[in-house]
Amino acid sequence: MASSNNSFVAIFSLLLLSTMQCHAQLSSTFYDRTCPNALTTIRTSIRQAISRERRMAASLIRLHFHDCFVQGCDASLLLDETPTIVSEKTALPNLGSVRGFGIIEDAKREVEKTCPGIVSCADILAVAARDASTLVGGPSWTVKLGRRDSTTASHTLAETDLPGPFDPLSRLISGFANKGLSTRDMVALSGSHSIGQAQCFLFRDRIYSNGTDIDAGFASTRRRQCPQEDQNGNLAPLDLVTPNQLDNNYFKNLRQRKGLLQSDQVLLSGGSTDDIVLEYSNSPRAFASDFAAAMIKMGDISPLTDQNGIIRIVCGAIN
């Protein structure tokens, strides 16, 4: 019996060491010697993109999120369709809505000029999300680096693992928990809806529901640009008050029943997340701090490191 226990301890120790090594390989100083200008180069590209179109900040944060939730943070989302790859771009949660691929390719191209074959597309996505946040008034954080790029994509997982705009609270909580993210992380990350826009067909049912969980005046305003039929792609800001500023107004809106998506308002609906929403609505500092921490945690989801994966030269294709 003692020898069986010893074997269990040895196996557990190896597993723990393996997990620790995986995370230890992500480091904020990863490119300090091999590509010291990488972060500055990426930031310049992202700043130019957001100065051209403020909404791009939301799109870049969402790209990182939609990448990490499918196979981990491995840039699988960026791969184009080929005879051997069924792209995640065509999965229902991404089709016609995820954007910013060209911005990431531009940043990659600039980095390749000075450090060819060194910086992964997965790391560029992570850095771009942080830079996008800071450029629209959101928090900053230290990005851990050293991810490598996948050689595969998963259209199937993109269909099943990404949270949806109609999900009930229980499904949102369990979906994030499956990725190692707490309920608090989920609510904080939902605050990224302080910026960006949504398409009419994603909130149509909500604004025509005459439900008790939506402010009547807010619903009426949103109906002007979202008729009951057609115009599916018409856009509306997720936050009417400060649509181009990453702040805690998103949570204040929920208190007024002005969450645009069902999956937004459900965070303040008598459930386990109510207290967190109220806290963030009252404290911009608490939201900013938790958002930064949750983004770091999300960036840790199943990275490819060491000899796993590759460094893609072009983000949309295998070398």
Side-chain angles (χ1 to χ4, degrees):
M1 185 70 179
S3 115
S4 167
N5 282 342
N6 288 341
S7 299
F8 174 80
V9 170
I11 292 169
F12 180 78
S13 298
L14 281 171
L15 286 170
L16 186 62
L17 180 62
S18 165
T19 303
M20 288 169 66
Q21 284 174 337
C22 174
H23 287 292
Q25 288 169 355
L26 291 186
S27 160
S28 61
T29 60
F30 191 83
Y31 297 115
D32 280 9
R33 290 187 178 183
T34 54
C35 191
N37 294 322
L39 270 64
T40 306
T41 304
I42 296 167
R43 186 172 182 83
T44 300
S45 278
I46 302 307
R47 182 188 289 115
Q48 290 170 349
I50 292 173
S51 69
R52 289 193 301 268
E53 185 194 3
R54 191 91 167 163
R55 180 187 166 208
M56 188 53 70
S59 300
L60 293 173
I61 292 171
R62 186 162 177 246
L63 266 187
H64 182 41
F65 171 62
H66 278 226
D67 177 46
C68 290
F69 261 59
V70 180
Q71 295 190 167
C73 308
D74 61 357
S76 59
L77 174 58
L78 305 183
L79 286 170
D80 292 323
E81 196 94 4
T82 72
T84 56
I85 292 174
V86 183
S87 177
E88 292 170 22
K89 294 179 182 181
T90 57
L92 195 59
N94 295 327
L95 186 64
S97 68
V98 286
R99 55 200 293 276
F101 298 108
I103 306 304
I104 300 299
E105 288 288 9
D106 290 345
K108 173 66 169 172
R109 195 177 305 113
E110 292 305 310
V111 172
E112 284 294 307
K113 289 176 183 175
T114 53
C115 313
I118 299 293
V119 181
S120 69
C121 298
D123 276 347
I124 290 175
L125 273 176
V127 174
R130 187 271 311 275
D131 291 345
S133 170
T134 60
L135 289 165
V136 291
S140 184
W141 56 90
T142 301
V143 179
K144 289 190 275 183
L145 303 161
R147 301 168 192 80
R148 289 167 67 84
D149 300 324
S150 70
T151 55
T152 63
S154 180
H155 182 100
T156 303
L157 288 178
E159 294 273 8
T160 59
D161 286 14
L162 288 164
F166 311 111
D167 285 354
L169 184 59
S170 58
R171 184 176 170 85
L172 291 171
I173 290 172
S174 64
F176 278 74
N178 289 340
K179 304 299 176 183
L181 297 167
S182 69
T183 299
R184 194 173 183 88
D185 294 327
M186 184 270 287
V187 178
L189 290 170
S190 297
S192 63
H193 283 185
S194 168
I195 51 174
Q197 302 186 59
Q199 298 182 76
C200 170
F201 77 97
L202 296 174
F203 58 86
R204 177 182 280 125
D205 286 352
R206 175 161 161 72
I207 62 173
Y208 286 98
S209 67
N210 293 316
T212 57
D213 66 341
I214 187 167
D215 176 82
F218 174 74
S220 176
T221 300
R222 293 274 61 89
R223 286 178 199 148
R224 292 175 200 161
Q225 295 298 318
C226 184
Q228 281 191 283
E229 294 181 5
D230 303 322
Q231 309 299 317
N232 282 347
N234 281 9
L235 295 170
L238 288 156
D239 170 17
L240 268 174
V241 185
T242 53
N244 293 314
Q245 188 85 2
L246 181 49
D247 55 27
N248 72 329
N249 265 320
Y250 167 80
F251 300 101
K252 294 179 182 179
N253 294 338
L254 298 185
R255 295 185 71 165
Q256 298 172 34
R257 297 177 297 135
K258 293 180 180 178
L260 185 62
L261 302 177
Q262 189 60 41
S263 57
D264 292 325
Q265 195 61 52
V266 77
L267 300 180
L268 188 64
S269 58
S272 60
T273 53
D274 284 13
D275 287 347
I276 308 171
V277 169
L278 296 177
E279 180 186 349
Y280 291 160
S281 72
N282 288 322
S283 174
R285 182 175 295 181
F287 164 59
S289 174
D290 284 1
F291 181 77
M295 287 296 288
I296 292 170
K297 205 167 162 184
M298 188 180 78
D300 278 342
I301 299 175
S302 306
L304 297 172
T305 57
D306 198 23
Q307 298 305 306
N308 297 312
I310 61 172
I311 304 297
R312 288 191 222 137
I313 306 306
V314 174
C315 291
I318 306 302
N319 301 343

